[in-house]
Amino acid sequence: MLSQQILNGLVSGSVYALFSLGFTLIFGVQKLLNFAHGATFMAGAFIAYYCTISGLPFLLAIGFSMLATGLIAILIDLIAFRTLRNRGNAEFPALVSSIGVDLILVSIAQQVSKTQVLNFPFGTFPIKFYDLFGLRISLLQIVILAVVAVLVAALIFYLRKTTFGRQVRAVATNERAAALLGVNAQSVYLQTFFIAGALAGLAGVLIGLLFNSIQFLMGEPYMLRAFVVVVIGGLGSVQGAIVASLLLGVTQSLAVAYLPSGLTDAIIFGLLFLVLLVRPNGLFGDINAVAGGTRQ
Amino acid sequence: MKFKTLMLSATSAAAVTLAGVAAHAEDYKVVILQSLTGGAAFIGKNVADGAVLAAEELNEKGFFGEGNQMVFSVEDDATDRTQTLSLITRLAADEDVLMVMGPTSGSVAMAGANVANEREFPVMTTTNSMEVVENGPWSFIMTQPASITMPFIADYTAETLGLERCAIIGVKDNEAYVALQRMYESLITEAGVEIVSQDGVALADSDFSALATKIATSDQDCVFIGTPAAQGANIILQLKQAGLDPSTPILGHNAFASPTFIEKGGAAVEDVYLIGAWVPGGDDDFSSAFAESFEAKMGFPADEWNAMGYSGMQVVAHAVRDAAEAGNLTRDGVRQALGEQKDIPVVVGTHTYSYDEERVPYFGMKVLQVKDGAFTVAPE
């Protein structure tokens, strides 16, 4: 059972990674906690669901959902963050503002779904199971692991090896200095939000598909996990978010399997405190890991 | 001129007659206060939808007598104690409001009961918690306490099916579900069934992969799942996908008695045992008519909570009408009438609803089984 539980944990953790990457990316660049990220994740699942039942091929539904959640995230930036950011000292007001956006999106989803739990129609994705080295793994789990690995690699490449990545890191380090060097900070923010939203949307679709459940509150437990991930991984650190997500997924899986019920959250937050005691800035230390320096 | 005078007189007479009718017409103001948002919305929203349909139908068929009607509004307790306290305090201050149908469940219902008893304002909470009843004479519960419902499925587990080792999966963040699970555990333990594992999930959880693997690789001859219908169906799907022996009986409580359970679970929930106050689609004329009108109005089939809301409103309406007919249309009159309701026709259980001397509701239960994608009465 141990190896099966580790596999379960890695699959869950890989989706946490997809979710947390966008969250940590926004924090890394803007130093803002975007509480509406969970609602964006939920919106991704809802949009893909309604596209699918409307007859759109599932792959197109995923693509449309990612595009839509990317645009929703941009809208969130424009409505909830931009004005506050321009005024300076935006951290606390932006936090409240993002909670407001989250509540609005959740309320809309509740109205749209009439508070019902939705699920993708049977057969949306082939249900196939394989026995590999004594492990029971589904085709969907394999696809999820592969998709997450490819997307994470692409994101890291994008952030480290492209002009956009350099601009992101420049803005994250010092927005004013970056602007003086010709970087359009607003454009960086919009692109960052789009990427974060699209990743959250995809995570929502994958979770909805993997666990057969789409509902208006589905973002809440993932938000809680995302906080743990970004703190354990190191605030703003992409690599940290990935490692912490996988660690969290496996820890959660093993806690459910081997410890008395109800201790899972205590173990997860215990792990959080332990990491903070040993490495106060998280596993990947630097307070501004996306930028590679401290924001000024 | 003579014709004009005649017309005026006729018009005046008609106006006087109409005014007379209007003067005698009564509006009975009741507020449906349920969790339309927040964690208990899965219960409260459904109860409210059922209750609204019942109130509309009762008004339409003139249940309260000619010209009289129930004036109702729907409010949201938001699964939040502070909002509930604030709303009930405000409603209690409005002398026209006779009673509240709600709040929904858990600590919210308890908070509502506290303020209702302080303000001498009748509330019929959706919860099945006896603490609400014990809180004072103004607070009622709409659903049967676990001590009434759970023996049906516990006896079926231990005696009818003769099972010996059960794994239990419950909800950890809703008091009503926890109470049902505890009662089941206690009853089957007394009957000699061993509980091999107990696990709790949160209402918003959907990832049960670790739990499913744990149970699928454990040694038990039954699995009891005490969660809402959609979540239960999802857990069963994941249990089957994790390789649970298909012959292992799976049991649940009345929350599974919802079309959602079969719709979400598909073939995976075939053969599952449950108790139900509501047989989806109805099992007599009244309940079948409700199922039909609910689906026509809402666009989806009624579930257990919709049926409970519909039934609860029947009881409220009878209490209000009884108080009015007794010439005691006050909050105290409605409270007394509510506690005295006996054999009110409802769409749940054995189709009649009664409060006993301790204000404990009884309307019965059935053990059901999913067969060929439908709920059927389980074999004895």
Side-chain angles (χ1 to χ4, degrees):
Chain A
M1 182 171 76
L2 175 64
S3 50
Q4 183 70 51
Q5 291 292 14
I6 290 173
L7 173 68
N8 290 338
L10 287 175
V11 174
S12 297
S14 65
V15 186
Y16 287 153
L18 213 51
F19 180 88
S20 305
L21 273 176
F23 188 69
T24 206
L25 195 59
I26 289 172
F27 184 85
V29 176
Q30 296 210 26
K31 301 295 172 285
L32 295 177
L33 288 173
N34 177 15
F35 274 81
H37 198 63
T40 312
F41 160 87
M42 174 272 298
F46 267 71
I47 291 165
Y49 167 78
Y50 284 108
C51 286
T52 305
I53 61 165
S54 302
L56 207 64
F58 187 57
L59 278 178
L60 273 180
I62 292 178
F64 184 76
S65 168
M66 288 179 72
L67 179 68
T69 48
L71 294 174
I72 287 172
I74 284 180
L75 208 59
I76 291 170
D77 181 44
L78 294 176
I79 293 170
F81 293 134
R82 176 172 283 195
T83 314
L84 296 171
R85 195 168 53 229
N86 291 342
R87 285 183 194 161
N89 293 325
E91 282 84 355
F92 183 69
L95 189 138
V96 176
S97 180
S98 68
I99 291 173
V101 174
D102 178 78
L103 290 174
I104 289 169
L105 289 174
V106 167
S107 300
I108 291 171
Q110 187 185 6
Q111 293 302 316
V112 168
S113 66
K114 297 180 181 171
T115 322
Q116 303 291 305
V117 177
L118 311 171
N119 58 304
F120 288 108
F122 289 112
T124 298
F125 192 90
I127 300 173
K128 285 186 182 168
F129 285 87
Y130 304 98
D131 286 317
L132 297 174
F133 310 111
L135 293 175
R136 186 175 165 84
I137 185 164
S138 70
L139 177 62
L140 180 59
Q141 287 175 314
I142 295 170
V143 169
I144 285 176
L145 286 170
V147 166
V148 172
V150 168
L151 281 175
V152 165
L155 182 66
I156 291 174
F157 175 82
Y158 200 45
L159 287 173
R160 290 188 175 277
K161 303 287 182 189
T162 66
T163 306
F164 170 72
R166 281 191 289 276
Q167 289 178 348
V168 168
R169 285 180 287 153
V171 171
T173 306
N174 190 321
E175 183 184 336
R176 184 171 294 181
L180 288 172
L181 291 169
V183 175
N184 182 344
Q186 296 303 344
S187 163
V188 166
Y189 289 140
L190 291 180
Q191 289 182 61
T192 308
F193 266 91
F194 181 84
I195 292 170
L199 290 177
L202 177 62
V205 180
L206 295 179
I207 286 292
L209 196 59
L210 184 62
F211 302 130
N212 196 41
S213 174
I214 299 166
Q215 48 118 327
F216 64 99
L217 288 175
M218 67 188 282
E220 288 189 2
Y222 287 88
M223 275 305 293
L224 204 60
R225 300 282 184 268
F227 279 119
V228 177
V229 163
V230 295
V231 174
I232 289 181
L235 294 170
S237 165
V238 170
Q239 301 94 312
I242 295 161
V243 172
S245 295
L246 296 176
L247 184 65
L248 184 72
V250 173
T251 304
Q252 185 178 302
S253 216
L254 296 180
V256 169
Y258 296 106
L259 295 173
S261 172
L263 280 183
T264 311
D265 286 341
I267 295 293
I268 288 171
F269 284 92
L271 179 69
L272 171 75
F273 297 136
L274 188 67
V275 169
L276 288 179
L277 277 175
V278 181
R279 290 185 63 86
N281 289 332
L283 293 175
F284 284 74
D286 192 341
I287 191 73
N288 203 7
V290 167
T294 302
R295 187 183 175 94
Q296 291 161 33
Chain B
M1 184 67 192
K2 201 171 182 183
F3 176 74
K4 256 187 178 175
T5 312
L6 201 64
M7 281 301 289
L8 269 173
S9 305
T11 311
S12 306
V16 168
T17 308
L18 282 174
V21 170
H24 288 97
E26 295 270 9
D27 283 349
Y28 308 133
K29 196 169 176 185
V30 169
V31 174
I32 301 162
L33 171 63
Q34 297 290 333
S35 301
L36 307 180
T37 56
F42 293 99
I43 301 169
K45 174 71 169 58
N46 295 10
V47 168
D49 287 342
V52 166
L53 177 64
E56 287 170 351
E57 286 182 358
L58 290 165
N59 280 336
E60 200 174 307
K61 71 179 183 188
F63 176 84
F64 298 98
E66 198 177 344
N68 302 333
Q69 62 168 348
M70 178 182 282
V71 176
F72 61 91
S73 60
V74 181
E75 302 268 5
D76 181 14
D77 71 32
T79 324
D80 180 80
R81 275 188 293 185
T82 311
Q83 177 147 333
T84 302
L85 289 174
S86 161
L87 276 170
I88 294 188
T89 304
R90 175 165 67 77
L91 294 170
D94 179 349
E95 289 179 358
D96 291 338
V97 180
L98 287 170
M99 69 168 290
V100 160
M101 187 176 164
T104 300
S105 70
S107 58
V108 173
M110 199 57 204
N114 278 333
V115 69
N117 282 296
E118 275 172 24
R119 309 256 165 179
E120 300 190 340
F121 183 46
V123 294
M124 185 205 238
T125 65
T126 306
T127 185
N128 64 355
S129 168
M130 283 302 293
E131 284 180 47
V132 168
V133 179
E134 289 156 5
N135 193 270
W138 296 86
S139 48
F140 292 75
I141 55 175
M142 189 170 76
T143 48
Q144 299 170 116
S147 59
I148 292 177
T149 59
M150 296 313 282
F152 286 88
I153 192 71
D155 290 350
Y156 202 84
T157 307
E159 291 169 18
T160 311
L161 297 176
L163 301 168
E164 293 173 349
R165 292 167 53 77
C166 262
I168 310 277
I169 302 172
V171 169
K172 62 185 178 187
D173 56 355
N174 182 283
E175 157 268 339
Y177 282 95
V178 171
L180 291 170
Q181 180 195 332
R182 293 274 154 74
M183 180 61 67
Y184 178 78
E185 288 168 359
S186 159
L187 289 167
I188 61 167
T189 304
E190 277 172 27
V193 179
E194 183 190 351
I195 295 171
V196 295
S197 64
Q198 289 166 298
D199 290 281
V201 300
L203 281 171
D205 281 350
S206 62
D207 176 2
F208 309 113
S209 53
L211 178 60
T213 299
K214 173 186 166 183
I215 290 177
T217 54
S218 300
D219 177 26
Q220 67 270 306
D221 63 7
C222 70
V223 179
F224 174 83
I225 302 171
T227 66
Q231 190 174 41
N234 194 11
I235 291 173
I236 293 168
L237 264 171
Q238 293 187 38
L239 280 170
K240 298 275 173 84
Q241 288 174 353
L244 179 75
D245 181 352
S247 68
T248 306
I250 298 175
L251 305 104
H253 56 54
N254 45 322
F256 282 5
S258 160
T260 304
F261 183 64
I262 293 173
E263 181 197 324
K264 305 292 179 197
V269 300
E270 192 68 12
D271 293 331
V272 169
Y273 298 98
L274 59 144
I275 44 171
W278 167 243
V279 180
D283 59 342
D284 72 346
D285 290 346
F286 188 24
S287 53
S288 300
F290 158 67
E292 204 172 297
S293 56
F294 185 89
E295 187 158 3
K297 180 185 177 190
M298 303 298 295
F300 54 84
D303 71 0
E304 176 109 354
W305 291 116
N306 299 132
M308 276 314 310
Y310 188 85
S311 298
M313 181 53 85
Q314 305 292 331
V315 180
V316 168
H318 276 82
V320 169
R321 188 175 71 174
D322 288 355
E325 286 175 356
N328 190 15
L329 193 63
T330 60
R331 288 174 178 175
D332 193 39
V334 171
R335 177 187 69 82
Q336 285 179 30
L338 189 58
E340 289 164 3
Q341 292 304 309
K342 300 274 182 232
D343 300 326
I344 304 302
V346 291
V347 298
V348 291
T350 47
H351 306 302
T352 57
Y353 189 113
S354 300
Y355 278 111
D356 70 10
E357 296 72 27
E358 307 296 322
R359 293 181 293 121
V360 179
Y362 185 88
F363 45 88
M365 279 278 161
K366 298 181 180 79
V367 178
L368 308 172
Q369 188 179 21
V370 181
K371 278 285 174 200
D372 299 324
F375 292 105
T376 56
V377 176
E380 293 294 322

